[in-house]
Amino acid sequence: MTARCPRVRVAVIGGGQSSEHEVSLASAASVADALDPAAYDVVRLTIDPAGTWLPAGLPGAIGVLTECDVAIPVLHGPRGEDGTVAALCELAGVPYVGSGVGAGALAMDKWATKLVARGLGIAVAADELLTRTTAATYQFTGPVVVKPVAAGSSHGVTLVRCAEQLPEALGAAFALDDRVLVEEVVVGREVDVAVLGRPDGSRVVAPALEIVVDGIFDTGAKYDGTADFRIPAVLSDAERTGLESAAVAVYDALGCAGVARVDFFLTDAGPVLNEVNTMPGFTEQSQVPKMFAAAGTSYAALLDLLVRDALVVSA
């Protein structure tokens, strides 16, 4: 009789202190439920909005982590996706799924990400970086998008069409961050590209997804079921090649690992980078799992691949 291999002990971490707390809880619950119980022993850890690790506080959570073979930090936004929890895992000596400290911090910072893209020759929207001190000097000249530098799920993002709307938009953005980007409106199709880095250095790009929505893809449109996701996006060969090349270039330049979603506006002049998500929404109905499902990789299979790759990298 063949002995069964021991199950891999996996810590799935959800919640967090960002405005995406509830989204993270949904992603983490979905991930934990989808991991094959025959192969994985799942331990669920939750960070509440105040930053308390449940059920036993941070010292207890570190103890649990060190008893696990691998961690999946399913955290979105600051104090999670920005490299902070990756740093905790590294200090605890626990392998983890996803990008490391540097990549998480860089990609969470939309302004820094755009600097990287500019260095690669990838187009980005013209912008101005504002702080609470400099915001009063900003001169409105036309439609702009106002957004926090480090936030996700489009929280604090506003399309401003006239100067009278600007103070409220800035207030919403500054409520989430001390730095705010004011970007020129880019006219183009919203197309997302998912890139998966493998331990051998290869890159797997899932079929692109187009978001068809009236106006901007804001928090409401992301979660109220009104967004129209089209997978695969209808693209010419040249458009597909341009998007995929730009996505992989940004993924590599930021130093990403695991899977990341790279969001673009596809304009008549080519791709314009919007942002990079190193831990995008990860329920089975989220964009990245849907993109890989379109290529024949199921949600459970994608999770298995990510965990196994993390263990290979750490070996």
Side-chain angles (χ1 to χ4, degrees), residues 196 204 206-207 284 288-306:
L196 171 66
V204 178
E284 189 167 3
V288 168
K290 280 181 170 288
M291 294 155 83
F292 277 95
T297 302
S298 71
Y299 183 54
L302 177 60
L303 291 171
D304 183 72
L305 185 152
L306 289 168

Side-chain angles (χ1 to χ4, degrees), residues 257-310:
V259 69
R261 197 188 74 225
V262 187
D263 301 346
F264 294 94
F265 297 106
L266 182 58
T267 72
D268 292 340
V272 176
L273 178 71
N274 184 21
E275 64 181 34
V276 178
N277 293 269
T278 55
M279 177 42 73
F282 229 84
T283 70
E284 189 167 3
Q285 299 307 312
S286 298
Q287 288 139 270
V288 168
K290 280 181 170 288
M291 294 155 83
F292 277 95
T297 302
S298 71
Y299 183 54
L302 177 60
L303 291 171
D304 183 72
L305 185 152
L306 289 168
V307 172
R308 299 292 174 181
D309 279 0

Side-chain angles (χ1 to χ4, degrees), residues 43 45 53-67:
V43 178
L45 292 171
W53 288 64
L54 305 176
L58 182 56
I62 292 174
V64 171
L65 278 173
T66 57
E67 294 172 353

Side-chain angles (χ1 to χ4, degrees), residues 10-109:
V10 182
V12 177
I13 309 169
Q17 294 177 263
S18 80
S19 58
E20 296 179 271
H21 177 86
E22 295 298 327
V23 178
S24 173
L25 288 180
S27 290
S30 184
V31 166
D33 289 344
L35 288 167
D36 182 1
Y40 297 107
D41 176 18
V42 176
V43 178
R44 302 179 191 231
L45 292 171
T46 300
I47 307 170
D48 75 11
T52 301
W53 288 64
L54 305 176
L58 182 56
I62 292 174
V64 171
L65 278 173
T66 57
E67 294 172 353
C68 292
D69 299 301
V70 63
I72 310 177
V74 197
L75 297 160
H76 310 313
R79 298 188 179 182
E81 187 181 352
D82 61 355
T84 51
V85 174
L88 177 64
C89 290
E90 290 195 9
L91 290 171
V94 180
Y96 56 92
V97 169
S99 291
V101 179
L106 269 176
M108 192 78 249
D109 188 312

Side-chain angles (χ1 to χ4, degrees), residues 118-138:
R118 286 186 175 105
L120 295 170
I122 296 170
V124 294
D127 60 19
E128 188 168 340
L129 179 69
L130 302 180
T131 66
R132 296 179 190 276
T133 302
T134 63
T137 66
Y138 175 74

Side-chain angles (χ1 to χ4, degrees), residues 160-180:
V160 178
R161 301 183 186 277
C162 62
E164 290 73 22
Q165 297 173 325
L166 186 62
E168 183 178 354
L170 289 173
F174 278 123
L176 297 174
D177 201 339
D178 290 330
R179 295 179 302 147
V180 166

